[in-house]
Amino acid sequence: MTLTGSGPAYDPPADATPRRAGAPAPARTRVYGPERRLDRRVALVTGASSGIGAATARRFAMDGWQLLLNGRDRYRLERTAAGTSAVVLPADLAAPDGPRLLARSALHTTGRIDVLVAGAGIGWTGPFDTMPHTDIDRVLTLDLNATLHLVREVLPTMIAAGRGRVVLLGAREGRTGVPREAVHSAARAGLAAFAEALRRELRGTGVGVTLVDPGPADPESRTRRGGPRDGSGTGLLTPGHVAGTIFEAVAHHHDEAYAGPAVQDRARGIGPGLYRRLRDRFT
């Protein structure tokens, strides 16, 4: 099934200010905009300091959700939160206790999490045989391990409430593999398998799992990678488009959603070979 986003209306403004050093684990919260109300639905969005995560936060805010925003850069999180009642929870999910501390801070702040959008992730582009071992560990830690640990921390509360949804960001890399992005592809493939297994495990609990493929998204909408991507890329999607797809998938309880062109989605269902050819042409 292909869901389309709502265009670039939710794209965060360009940030010309240099990034600051990573912020420490959450010690205090700060609320922006209108006073928060605990009777509203709560969405915890990771990777919310820029790109798809920031655009997703803005889209949920437009629908009146209470937001909990996570990222490593407090300044950029504050920009995302501006004009909303969002609570900023800066933390490094790659730290050994990062997911547990974030979940504890989030639940202490609102007492509930209705939707977790696990958007945090990094990548590394280049030949695998030259990839430093430390970068292999770094990509797998944030793109896969940290996400699994965070889901593990918030899931019991959702199950106890009998409602909730976990949203995971997959990628084309995890379905067909992309040269020069071997480790990122492995991590995304792991998330896709995790989503399917967890979805089956949670049947009857009221908790759903959504895997969203952002399609050929603008590289600027993702966390910076370890090296330049090959080619200039054409037909790239904006963060706002992907955010619209994520929001619609949550609103309609879809298990899977794809933000890319419909022709690519149909081709993926017909056969991986055709899908690869279309992928290489459009990205």
Side-chain angles (χ1 to χ4, degrees):
M1 175 178 293
T2 300
L3 300 179
T4 57
S6 303
Y10 321 114
D11 289 335
D15 185 0
T17 305
R19 288 182 61 89
R20 303 189 309 175
R28 59 177 180 172
T29 60
R30 191 177 300 175
V31 181
Y32 298 82
E35 183 179 357
R36 61 188 174 92
R37 289 169 34 206
L38 299 185
D39 60 328
R40 292 189 296 170
R41 294 168 296 177
V42 177
L44 170 59
V45 182
T46 68
S49 57
S50 63
I52 293 173
T56 299
R58 291 179 180 275
R59 179 61 187 91
F60 275 81
M62 289 180 64
D63 199 54
W65 285 64
Q66 173 64 51
L67 296 174
L68 303 173
L69 306 182
N70 167 256
R72 292 185 298 171
D73 192 316
R74 177 182 287 276
Y75 176 72
R76 289 193 173 186
L77 287 176
E78 290 172 352
R79 287 178 60 88
T80 302
T84 75
S85 60
V87 177
V88 167
L89 300 173
D92 183 359
L93 293 179
D97 217 20
R100 187 182 68 84
L101 290 174
L102 173 60
R104 186 173 65 181
S105 295
L107 291 171
H108 176 75
T109 301
T110 58
R112 60 188 281 188
I113 296 174
D114 297 288
V115 169
L116 166 63
V117 180
I122 57 175
W124 193 96
T125 300
F128 178 68
D129 62 351
T130 67
M131 186 175 185
H133 291 280
T134 54
D135 285 334
I136 293 175
D137 292 339
R138 184 166 168 261
V139 170
L140 289 177
T141 294
L142 187 57
D143 286 16
L144 182 59
N145 294 355
T147 297
L148 268 59
H149 282 291
L150 182 58
V151 172
R152 170 62 183 83
E153 292 291 341
V154 305
L155 202 56
T157 300
M158 290 183 175
I159 294 174
R163 65 176 184 274
R165 183 158 291 271
V166 173
V167 180
L168 305 174
L169 291 188
R172 62 191 178 93
E173 294 92 335
R175 295 185 180 275
T176 59
V178 174
R180 298 172 60 85
E181 298 188 22
V183 178
H184 183 66
S185 297
R188 293 304 179 182
L191 282 181
F194 173 67
E196 177 63 24
L198 186 61
R199 185 182 302 124
R200 296 172 63 185
E201 186 175 323
L202 293 175
R203 286 176 182 170
T205 65
V207 181
V209 179
T210 298
L211 181 68
V212 177
D213 187 335
D218 183 347
E220 289 300 313
S221 72
R222 312 180 200 176
T223 303
R224 303 298 190 274
R225 297 172 182 265
R229 295 175 65 92
D230 292 332
S232 59
T234 59
L236 298 178
L237 305 176
T238 68
H241 184 103
V242 180
T245 299
I246 292 172
F247 181 81
E248 292 299 319
V250 170
H252 297 288
H253 311 289
H254 289 297
D255 290 340
E256 293 191 356
Y258 183 66
V263 64
Q264 291 194 46
D265 193 41
R266 288 195 293 269
R268 184 176 61 188
I270 295 173
L274 176 59
Y275 173 69
R276 290 189 184 95
R277 289 192 293 272
L278 285 170
R279 177 203 66 195
D280 293 340
R281 176 172 181 176
F282 285 103
T283 59

